[in-house]
Amino acid sequence: KPCLDGEPRYENHPVNWKSERGWFNDFDVRQAAYWGVFAGACGHTYGCHDIWQMKTPQLAPISAARGNWYESMDLPGAGQMLHVRRLMESRPMLERVPDQSIIKAGQQEGAQHIQATRGADYLMIYTPYGDVLEVNDRVISGTKRRAWWYNPRDGAAEKIGEFGRGERTQFDPRGEPGRGNDWVLVIDDADKKYGPPGAVR
């Protein structure tokens, strides 16, 4: 049956309902979205702690809400959900399946968990902390590869290059590994001539 996470981390929500532990931010909602969709969800929902309760200065906050709904409409995580959708729609999405065998080595645990998905002629890997990826590209069609980095913060795609099947297995994202330096590696069967990840097909 099609499934999705109907209530993931809400942006601007206290972590575990305790404001002393901080609040979920745009990274937290991005991470939940890419983990869920790449693991096979048919979609994703976005939530914001200030918006669901329609918080205004005249209303008492529920569970340490700290923003007003009309200001929180512009929180960064809300806008970044569009990049998830555009990425998914830029490749044939109805044939897509989760496939952790793509990750040849370097899988992480906990918050750094790396999640992979693929279609018949493309693969995608989400690394939430920007860890080095070692990839098995033999699970997709074709003998030539075209690889990209996709930035989930702004939806920009950067071409890495082209190479033969199995020729290149290691990929190092920009920046230092750490919370919020999340990236998506996209590798295509070059003969399919797909455009940049996130571009309208």
Side-chain angles (χ1 to χ4, degrees):
K1 295 179 181 180
C3 64
L4 56 79
D5 187 347
E7 197 168 29
R9 304 166 192 152
Y10 283 23
E11 194 164 10
N12 233 14
H13 192 291
V15 176
N16 291 346
W17 298 88
K18 298 175 182 177
S19 58
E20 62 270 20
R21 299 189 66 177
W23 281 262
F24 291 130
N25 63 12
D26 57 316
F27 167 69
D28 297 299
V29 297
R30 283 196 314 271
Q31 184 185 49
Y34 284 90
W35 272 352
V37 173
F38 279 28
C42 66
H44 186 73
T45 56
Y46 165 84
C48 175
H49 191 45
D50 310 318
I51 295 173
W52 74 260
Q53 60 187 277
M54 301 305 289
K55 173 70 179 69
T56 67
Q58 292 75 38
L59 295 175
I62 299 170
S63 182
R66 59 180 184 170
N68 297 310
W69 75 265
Y70 45 84
E71 296 161 341
S72 296
M73 293 284 285
D74 294 321
L75 286 172
Q80 291 163 0
M81 294 300 100
L82 179 62
H83 307 319
V84 183
R85 177 180 175 174
R86 286 180 172 164
L87 175 63
M88 294 296 97
E89 292 180 348
S90 69
R91 302 292 184 271
M93 64 178 181
L94 295 180
E95 66 183 34
R96 187 177 53 79
V97 295
D99 187 350
Q100 294 298 85
S101 75
I102 295 167
I103 305 165
K104 191 173 181 180
Q107 178 59 278
Q108 305 290 329
E109 295 183 358
Q112 291 177 250
H113 172 79
I114 297 168
Q115 185 65 47
T117 187
R118 66 168 174 85
D121 47 32
Y122 70 92
L123 63 84
M124 300 177 183
I125 307 174
Y126 175 69
T127 170
Y129 276 51
D131 291 304
V132 175
L133 301 173
E134 192 164 345
V135 178
N136 168 25
D137 72 353
R138 297 179 182 275
V139 296
I140 61 172
S141 65
T143 58
K144 294 185 291 184
R145 303 290 185 240
R146 180 176 295 136
W148 312 80
W149 285 118
Y150 184 73
N151 187 335
R153 295 170 295 286
D154 61 13
E158 177 185 349
K159 187 175 177 181
I160 298 169
E162 298 190 17
F163 45 90
R165 182 181 188 219
E167 276 184 9
R168 179 169 177 177
T169 61
Q170 198 168 83
F171 297 85
D172 189 359
R174 289 183 177 276
E176 290 298 315
R179 177 181 160 82
N181 187 43
D182 49 335
W183 292 91
V184 178
L185 174 67
V186 180
I187 300 179
D188 298 320
D189 175 346
D191 289 336
K192 299 298 179 180
K193 296 181 169 50
Y194 291 131
V200 177
R201 294 177 63 209

